[in-house]
Amino acid sequence: MANPRPSSHRLLRSRLLPPPSISCYVLVLLAFSAFIFLFSQRQITVVDRNPSDESFEDLKERLWGSAYGYGYRPCVKRTQKYAAPQKWNRYLTVRSNGGLNQMRTGICDMVAVARLMNATLVIPQLDKRSFWQDTSTFSDIFDESHFINSLEGDVHIIRELPKELESAPRARKHFTSWSGASYYEEMSQLWKDYQVIHVPKSDSRLANNDLPIDIQRLRCRAMYHALRFSNPIERLGKKLVERLKSHGQYIALHLRFEKDMLSFTGCTYGLNDMEAEELRIMREITNHWKLKDINSTEQRLGGFCPLTPKEVGIFLQALGYPSSTWIYVAAGEIYGGETYLSDLRSRFPNLVFKETLATKEELEDFSSHSSQTAAIDYIISVESDVFVPSYTGNMARAVEGHRRFLGHRKTINPDRKGLVELFDMIDRGELKEGAKLSSLVSEMHHYRQGAPRKRYGSLPGSKGRDRLRTEESFYENPFPECICPADKH
């Protein structure tokens, strides 16, 4: 049964409806509340100079605390029923597609598929033809030796197909997305006619739920232990984390206000006509984007658009983060550049990118490889004190799942649909930034900060293949299979 998904919209509407009349008593009360709020804001600056004060600790816990894992720990040990792998003389070759995190999840699924099909896995080939046009090989991004050695108790992995099989006939198989273990047991019949099976796409090959516990834990071992980034990426990522932490706690903001995402989603709110047309043309000429005619207003009201940089600034201030907060922007090139970043920067001057945090020389070897720079963003996001995604994409889901696995580190998922209602009220002059907005935003996000919960099942009313598509991603939340109470660790 699917878990109910929390919604705050009815609460929001009830909070925003004005009373039929306002008495003098209420006016006095509101004035007094405003005075208390302003006074408390002044007190924060005083508390900043006196960390021993209890109110400072309360504020710090509210903004940065994540309850130290809530008593849960990673659990990925094999069960007693899990048999040792064999070196099968049949091979699975894979071409991973998409950006960094789509490739990562696909690779980890193909590790599990190889186990289910009793196959030897050849190190996957990476996507070089997609939007990102990245020529990186597997070993450029990942520690290849570590990947092979870490999984030797699960799957036999080799770097290249044996020479004698390079020209051998092979089955080219597009596996059905979101399939279960029984599907791959049936696919094993292909070994009767072929010694090599080639998989041209690796994304979404396995279901998110209802798989054997050992297969689910294998996916976690592959993702969180085996698929480590290459040493140069790891070194720079950790060095930049240290630089950020030298200033104190920091937020990693995955700001998905990028050209490809805005074009794909059809979100043009706040853009000028020329920019909106540019995005429409890009969507029109991108063949594998099936949806062409998109109503931008409906997208935004439905919560299907990335937050704009300005909206992110309003949101973080409403949550109570002071202007001195360091914010690392994990993203590619922001559409419109400083034109749209200026409002966010005016609210949070300590806004940095990898290009400003690292030296030109440090980035030189990575700058022309989008997957490698995305890996640096990933490391900094996983290690951040707070992670905030402006949109739910592959990167956001992967980072959230990794942070859950490491002890439910604080991840604030904006309620985009609810926030748009508030932002539009601000634009209409019906609501001002201040105490009331802060109260509404804080209450709206009380249960959206990465606390432990079981993975959502399919949405009510969904059927067939669509039912599987609506399940929450396994890599977004590997609870309960890979996360257990501390006493069962």
Side-chain angles (χ1 to χ4, degrees):
M1 181 180 295
N3 295 332
R5 306 201 182 197
S7 174
S8 54
H9 303 313
R10 283 181 293 180
L11 173 64
L12 171 62
R13 293 190 186 96
S14 65
R15 293 282 306 274
L16 292 175
L17 287 173
S21 62
I22 302 177
S23 65
C24 292
Y25 171 79
V26 174
L27 286 173
V28 171
L29 183 61
L30 287 173
F32 178 74
S33 299
F35 170 79
I36 292 297
F37 175 76
L38 291 172
F39 180 76
S40 66
Q41 296 301 95
R42 288 184 61 202
Q43 287 296 96
I44 289 174
T45 60
V46 176
V47 168
D48 283 342
R49 295 193 296 269
N50 185 14
S52 63
D53 194 300
E54 185 178 2
S55 60
F56 173 84
E57 294 302 325
D58 291 341
L59 176 65
K60 184 178 179 181
E61 177 63 27
R62 180 171 64 81
L63 295 179
W64 304 100
S66 58
Y68 308 104
Y70 299 87
Y72 288 87
R73 297 290 184 271
C75 53
V76 294
K77 290 182 179 179
R78 305 168 181 88
T79 68
Q80 293 180 345
K81 297 180 180 180
Y82 192 74
Q86 300 183 40
K87 292 185 179 180
W88 296 98
N89 191 28
R90 47 204 189 197
Y91 302 87
L92 201 61
T93 62
V94 179
R95 179 180 171 272
S96 297
N97 57 297
L100 173 70
N101 289 288
Q102 187 173 337
M103 289 193 292
R104 289 176 72 244
T105 56
I107 289 167
C108 293
D109 272 4
M110 293 313 300
V111 167
V113 168
R115 172 75 195 198
L116 287 167
M117 294 185 67
N118 298 319
T120 293
L121 179 67
V122 180
I123 287 289
Q125 299 173 336
L126 302 190
D127 191 344
K128 296 178 175 61
R129 297 179 295 179
S130 66
F131 173 84
W132 294 271
Q133 296 290 304
D134 192 335
T135 60
S136 300
T137 64
F138 188 96
S139 60
D140 290 328
I141 301 175
F142 306 110
D143 187 332
E144 193 172 273
S145 296
H146 178 78
F147 179 70
I148 293 172
N149 295 334
S150 294
L151 294 170
E152 61 182 0
D154 300 292
V155 176
H156 184 223
I157 303 174
I158 58 176
R159 287 180 167 83
E160 296 177 341
L161 198 65
K163 295 284 186 184
E164 63 271 19
L165 292 176
E166 286 181 354
S167 58
R170 64 185 70 182
R172 180 182 171 90
K173 184 64 181 176
H174 285 269
F175 290 135
T176 301
S177 297
W178 296 286
S179 296
S182 61
Y183 172 85
Y184 290 101
E185 291 167 2
E186 294 175 8
M187 289 299 105
S188 295
Q189 298 299 315
L190 290 168
W191 298 127
K192 293 180 180 179
D193 301 313
Y194 298 95
Q195 200 173 349
V196 180
I197 298 175
H198 177 65
V199 184
K201 292 180 66 177
S202 66
D203 63 314
S204 304
R205 298 302 101 179
L206 273 170
N208 294 317
N209 300 318
D210 301 324
L211 289 172
I213 183 70
D214 274 317
I215 294 300
Q216 296 288 53
R217 289 187 174 181
L218 171 56
R219 295 168 87 185
C220 288
R221 288 196 296 276
M223 176 64 82
Y224 305 124
H225 293 167
L227 203 58
R228 188 169 70 188
F229 293 119
S230 65
N231 288 334
I233 291 173
E234 286 281 338
R235 281 195 298 269
L236 181 57
K238 290 176 180 177
K239 184 182 293 185
L240 298 187
V241 168
E242 290 174 2
R243 286 178 192 168
L244 283 162
K245 286 189 176 294
S246 70
H247 300 285
Q249 292 162 306
Y250 74 94
I251 294 173
L253 168 63
H254 187 221
L255 188 59
R256 206 62 173 93
F257 201 75
E258 299 157 314
K259 185 176 182 179
D260 65 309
M261 180 52 65
L262 296 177
S263 177
F264 176 74
T265 57
C267 296
T268 59
Y269 173 77
L271 304 181
N272 60 43
D273 292 341
M274 185 179 299
E275 291 167 333
E277 179 63 10
E278 180 185 26
L279 296 180
R280 187 198 65 77
I281 293 173
M282 180 180 178
R283 185 169 65 254
E284 188 67 34
I285 64 177
T286 305
N287 293 330
H288 61 278
W289 291 352
K290 303 303 181 185
L291 196 58
K292 304 296 184 182
D293 188 16
I294 302 176
N295 186 310
S296 178
T297 301
E298 289 180 359
Q299 281 285 92
R300 182 171 177 272
L301 292 176
F304 304 120
C305 289
L307 296 180
T308 69
K310 178 180 179 179
E311 290 171 340
V312 170
I314 296 172
F315 171 61
L316 293 177
Q317 277 194 334
L319 286 175
Y321 289 97
S323 61
S324 59
T325 302
W326 280 74
I327 298 178
Y328 176 82
V329 180
E333 184 177 354
I334 301 302
Y335 192 60
E338 200 60 33
T339 300
Y340 296 113
L341 278 172
S342 57
D343 189 278
L344 174 59
R345 193 183 299 279
S346 69
R347 297 169 186 269
F348 295 96
N350 295 321
L351 190 73
V352 294
F353 295 75
K354 54 184 160 293
E355 292 81 5
T356 54
L357 192 61
T359 67
K360 184 178 179 180
E361 291 72 24
E362 287 172 330
L363 288 175
E364 188 174 9
D365 293 337
F366 310 102
S367 58
S368 59
H369 301 283
S370 58
S371 292
Q372 295 182 47
T373 55
I376 294 169
D377 281 341
Y378 184 90
I379 292 171
I380 296 172
S381 296
V382 168
E383 296 299 325
S384 65
D385 297 284
V386 175
F387 176 64
V388 179
S390 69
Y391 187 73
T392 306
N394 291 322
M395 165 90 164
R397 286 192 289 266
V399 171
E400 179 176 356
H402 202 156
R403 290 171 67 84
R404 286 181 177 278
F405 182 78
L406 293 175
H408 294 92
R409 296 175 178 178
K410 190 162 191 168
T411 299
I412 306 176
N413 272 305
D415 181 348
R416 295 188 301 275
K417 186 175 181 179
L419 287 171
V420 163
E421 293 184 40
L422 297 179
F423 297 148
D424 286 349
M425 292 187 69
I426 293 173
D427 289 342
R428 294 193 299 265
E430 298 170 7
L431 181 65
K432 293 183 178 181
E433 295 183 50
K436 185 174 182 180
L437 177 65
S438 294
S439 176
L440 291 168
V441 169
S442 296
E443 191 167 352
M444 185 185 291
H445 293 84
H446 184 72
Y447 297 106
R448 301 178 67 94
Q449 302 192 28
R453 61 168 176 78
K454 289 186 177 181
R455 189 168 57 257
Y456 293 136
S458 55
L459 289 174
S462 56
K463 298 179 180 179
R465 186 61 55 184
D466 288 337
R467 177 179 61 81
L468 300 177
R469 291 172 184 266
T470 63
E471 294 178 349
E472 185 177 17
S473 166
F474 175 78
Y475 297 108
E476 183 177 1
N477 183 12
F479 185 109
E481 298 93 340
C482 301
I483 300 173
C484 307
D487 58 354
K488 293 184 179 181
H489 178 54

